[in-house]
Amino acid sequence: MTYQVSRNGQMYGPYTLEDLQRYVASGNVLPTDMAKSDTMPDWVPVAQILGSAGVPTTSAYAAAVAYSQTGNAYPDPPNLNWVLELLLGFLTCTLFVVVWNLVIAAWANKVQPASKALMFYIIATVLIVLNFGGSWGLLSR
């Protein structure tokens, strides 16, 4: 059986019961969000659906509870005014932009540990540097 989840008028899903348990444990779905299956006449809180199945008690669930008590589902993202980033990028010949994007990719990894953002960014940066290095070698001949 699959469930649709509704939060602030937005619809998500369909999710299986196992998906709901995992998303509640990670904090992506709140127990107060409303859910409904095709066989249910009314929307009910996700906690009510999981009540009979139980919510797994893992360290990820404990972390999600700690975040929700403070009101933040995720740690604050890195924040820098775009004008300042552009200016620092010009002044450092784009070196600052490379480092700043590395900081953002590291934040993405913190929010979603399964994310490969940091690895892909490092690989892309190395390939770009190698490409420019090769281009400069061809131009100097």
Side-chain angles (χ1 to χ4, degrees), residues 82-139:
W82 68 270
V83 174
L84 186 57
E85 181 182 354
L86 187 64
L87 180 64
L88 289 171
F90 280 131
L91 293 175
T92 62
C93 298
T94 70
L95 182 62
F96 177 79
V97 174
V98 170
V99 173
W100 181 247
N101 287 333
L102 187 65
V103 169
I104 292 171
W107 175 82
N109 256 11
K110 189 184 295 185
V111 169
Q112 184 63 277
S115 169
K116 305 257 189 256
L118 186 60
M119 179 185 69
F120 287 141
Y121 181 73
I122 291 171
I123 290 170
T125 303
V126 168
L127 290 174
I128 289 169
V129 168
L130 290 175
N131 185 32
F132 280 129
S135 298
W136 283 108
L138 292 174
L139 293 175

Side-chain angles (χ1 to χ4, degrees), residues 18-115:
E18 293 80 21
D19 290 337
L20 280 178
Q21 289 174 329
R22 188 173 61 248
Y23 290 139
V24 167
S26 68
N28 292 334
V29 172
L30 301 175
T32 56
D33 290 342
M34 301 302 280
K36 181 181 182 297
S37 72
D38 292 336
T39 61
M40 297 169 59
D42 296 319
W43 290 87
V44 297
V46 171
Q48 186 174 338
I49 292 172
L50 297 178
S52 61
V55 178
T57 55
T58 63
S59 59
Y61 180 70
V65 170
Y67 279 131
S68 66
Q69 288 174 350
T70 62
N72 293 334
Y74 300 110
D76 289 336
N79 189 12
L80 184 65
N81 187 302
W82 68 270
V83 174
L84 186 57
E85 181 182 354
L86 187 64
L87 180 64
L88 289 171
F90 280 131
L91 293 175
T92 62
C93 298
T94 70
L95 182 62
F96 177 79
V97 174
V98 170
V99 173
W100 181 247
N101 287 333
L102 187 65
V103 169
I104 292 171
W107 175 82
N109 256 11
K110 189 184 295 185
V111 169
Q112 184 63 277
S115 169

